[in-house]
Amino acid sequence: MASAPTVPPTSAPPPPPRSSGRGSKKGLGTLYRGTEGMWSWVLHRVTGMLLFLFLLVHVLDTALVRVSPEVYNEVIGTYKTPIMGLGEVGLVAAVLFHAFNGIRIILVDFTAKGPRYQRVMLWVVVGLTVVALAGFLPRHLSNVFGGH
Amino acid sequence: MTGTIPDVASPRAKRSQAMRGGINTELYAWLFMRVSGVILIVLIFGHLFVNLMVGDGVAAIDFAFVAGKWSEPFWQVWDLLMLWLAMIHGTNGVRTIINDYAERDVTRIVLKALLYVALVVTVVMGTLVIFTFDPCPVGSPADLLPSFCSA
């Protein structure tokens, strides 16, 4: 389906009114609701909220350098445990998606052809996220699980 | 029935305060998200690369590592910019989320008040930490400090 709004042929009956907020069934969805445009927006929100909460925690734990080297090392040591190490994978994945999708949003907003290619660009965003994460994973997992 | 157009009410919304003139804060907030977002990509990708990819990554992060970075003005400025931009960018994002979902006035005001307190406390504290940080605190064991402390 093209990303341009599809106008139903005039002979066809108008689509029934959509009573609830459910996603599209049988292609009756709107241009936005229930399609990639909506899900990228949802994911951008969820990752953004997650990153903000982590940012608050991360500034706090870093501030412990002002308490003492011992206290800082103790707390930052928890970042090197397997469970937190996997959490950092999720965190980096969230950063990557939010960053690449942010560029997509900027291109949609500021370039003439952006809106037409928003759907293709989402899959580019997903691809770049996967590729970058694949570059990060082996390195990070060996740092976490490699017995340092 | 001639071609006279009936008197249809204007579909346009009344022009808001912002549209009539004065400073359009929502426009500048919207623009800030895009400008700061691009800068944050550079800052955060660099931060993640240096801290998680180079050398032993997360396993190498300790007091001496941070002290080594913050003994250079370059990383002080880097982290300061990252702190301010990320906090304002994130605060504006969460402000949008609160405006979208918190329908009661009281809920919205309370949540946003908490958000702005978190913003100010975090930014002020983080800024103080970057600039009042002592990489060689007296009385700390030398093996926890960067090597230049004992030089």
Side-chain angles (χ1 to χ4, degrees):
Chain A
M1 192 177 129
S3 57
T6 44
V7 181
T10 43
S11 57
R18 296 156 53 75
S19 52
S20 73
R22 299 288 305 153
S24 69
K25 281 182 181 170
K26 282 277 164 197
L28 288 178
T30 62
L31 176 64
Y32 181 75
R33 188 191 285 168
T35 60
E36 291 92 333
M38 184 187 90
W39 290 111
S40 66
W41 173 85
V42 169
L43 208 52
H44 203 77
R45 267 205 168 179
V46 171
T47 53
M49 192 69 226
L50 187 83
L51 293 172
F52 183 72
L53 293 177
F54 171 72
L55 178 61
L56 295 180
V57 175
H58 189 46
V59 175
L60 272 177
D61 67 56
T62 305
L64 293 176
V65 293
R66 286 293 280 124
V67 178
S68 77
E70 289 88 345
V71 169
Y72 179 77
N73 286 355
E74 171 117 14
V75 172
I76 212 69
T78 60
Y79 278 81
K80 305 168 187 178
T81 59
I83 292 178
M84 287 290 278
L86 293 177
E88 285 141 24
V89 173
L91 213 51
V92 168
V95 168
L96 292 171
F97 175 82
H98 200 86
F100 294 137
N101 193 53
I103 296 175
R104 170 177 163 269
I105 292 172
I106 291 172
L107 291 175
V108 168
D109 284 349
F110 287 107
T111 69
K113 288 185 178 173
R116 191 185 308 171
Y117 293 108
Q118 62 88 12
R119 185 174 307 209
V120 186
M121 286 197 290
L122 176 60
W123 295 112
V124 175
V125 165
V126 171
L128 286 175
T129 304
V130 169
V131 166
L133 203 58
F136 169 72
L137 264 180
R139 192 91 198 215
H140 181 65
L141 292 182
S142 85
N143 286 331
V144 172
F145 296 97
H148 283 278
Chain B
M1 267 187 60
T2 52
T4 331
I5 298 168
D7 192 19
V8 178
S10 166
R12 288 168 197 260
K14 286 245 163 59
R15 289 169 80 79
S16 70
Q17 185 67 41
M19 291 161 86
R20 261 183 269 125
I23 300 169
N24 188 343
T25 46
E26 287 302 334
L27 172 67
Y28 287 112
W30 177 88
L31 193 61
F32 174 83
M33 292 308 264
R34 279 138 188 86
V35 174
S36 63
V38 170
I39 303 170
L40 278 167
I41 291 177
V42 177
L43 293 174
I44 292 175
F45 278 27
H47 175 73
L48 290 176
F49 189 79
V50 168
N51 288 33
L52 297 183
M53 290 289 282
V54 174
D56 288 334
V58 71
I61 298 178
D62 57 9
F63 182 88
F65 176 86
V66 179
K69 277 182 91 178
W70 282 350
S71 62
E72 295 171 45
F74 177 83
W75 286 114
Q76 284 186 316
V77 172
W78 187 289
D79 287 356
L80 185 77
L81 263 176
M82 198 162 56
L83 170 74
W84 280 71
L85 289 179
M87 280 303 298
I88 300 173
H89 185 101
T91 298
N92 190 53
V94 175
R95 179 187 71 95
T96 308
I97 293 177
I98 293 172
N99 281 340
D100 277 358
Y101 299 119
E103 291 180 9
R104 285 178 59 216
D105 284 354
V106 187
T107 319
R108 217 168 40 244
I109 289 167
V110 169
L111 285 177
K112 281 199 263 187
L114 285 173
L115 176 69
Y116 297 147
V117 169
L119 168 70
V120 172
V121 168
T122 310
V123 163
V124 168
M125 186 187 66
T127 305
L128 285 174
V129 168
I130 292 174
F131 287 115
T132 67
F133 174 67
D134 177 6
C136 308
V138 265
S140 292
D143 60 326
L144 297 184
L145 304 180
S147 53
F148 58 75
C149 290
S150 45

